Amino acid sequence: MEYTSPASGGNTALGGTPLAAEPGRVVRVLDGDTYEVLTGGQPVRVRLRGVDAPELSQPFGREAADSVTLLLRGQQVWLTRQGIDLYGRTLAGLRVVTPARPGGVALDSLLVVRGWAWAWDPTRRVAGRVAEQASAQRAGRGLWKCGVGGVVPPHVWRGFKAEIKRRYRGGCTW
């Protein structure tokens, strides 16, 4: 990953104009890809772009959320707003600030590389996420620990009835 200035967060609008990034701090992790970020003195409910993490109710959901919580505890982030979703959450990119990377490291990339989420980019604008996911799968990281066969993407999981969801409980653990 290359250094990107915090002013753009590595993101651009459709016209190529850099999007402004705001400093913030994650104050609550609701699940692997949804957070409350305190920025400008106001809490903002954020849905992270570029990934789809397991639901809390599905296998590996709680583990992914706990892993993200540990990663973000006490960390400054750069928030780049990119719209609002159907549930009123701010769609955004987040970059985790580290001493070595003051411009931050893309959180969506970290989640995919560590096997905590699926790469999700319907527009195919983020090159490399699919390769990052394939690498995590080959290495058996996170939700790919037991292979790709029994792992159900969240958009499929949400459509399952309770009986089917119960069948996926147990077996492989984090």
Side-chain angles (χ1 to χ4, degrees), residues 26-32 34-36 62 65-66 68-69 72:
V26 175
V27 293
R28 184 171 169 217
V29 174
L30 290 108
D31 65 22
T34 307
Y35 322 110
E36 238 173 62
R62 174 58 54 200
D66 290 347
V68 173
T69 299
L72 295 176

Side-chain angles (χ1 to χ4, degrees), residues 84-139:
I84 304 291
D85 72 3
L86 295 173
Y87 305 102
R89 300 174 298 188
T90 297
L91 295 169
L94 286 177
R95 298 181 68 78
V96 181
V97 175
T98 67
R101 295 273 176 99
V105 177
L107 182 58
D108 57 334
S109 179
L110 286 174
L111 269 59
V112 172
V113 166
R114 293 178 179 193
W116 300 343
W118 284 261
W120 188 79
D121 182 24
T123 62
R124 310 271 191 269
R125 287 187 302 197
V126 181
R129 290 293 177 268
V130 173
E132 290 172 347
Q133 180 173 314
S135 173
Q137 289 171 332
R138 281 190 305 276

Side-chain angles (χ1 to χ4, degrees), residues 3-83:
Y3 172 81
T4 305
S5 77
S8 71
N11 297 302
T12 57
L14 292 177
T17 306
L19 297 172
E22 309 165 49
R25 192 166 305 281
V26 175
V27 293
R28 184 171 169 217
V29 174
L30 290 108
D31 65 22
D33 54 25
T34 307
Y35 322 110
E36 238 173 62
V37 178
L38 187 62
T39 182
Q42 297 294 316
V44 177
R45 181 140 315 169
V46 171
R47 169 59 168 87
L48 183 64
R49 302 236 349 167
V51 297
D52 199 7
E55 300 293 330
L56 290 176
S57 63
Q58 85 181 88
F60 304 115
R62 174 58 54 200
E63 294 86 350
D66 290 347
S67 296
V68 173
T69 299
L70 288 173
L71 173 72
L72 295 176
R73 181 174 290 145
Q75 297 295 320
Q76 181 185 354
V77 296
W78 287 106
L79 168 73
T80 306
R81 300 178 196 230
Q82 300 170 348

Side-chain angles (χ1 to χ4, degrees), residues 145-159:
K145 179 180 177 187
C146 299
V148 298
V151 182
V152 178
H155 70 277
V156 174
W157 178 262
R158 288 187 288 272

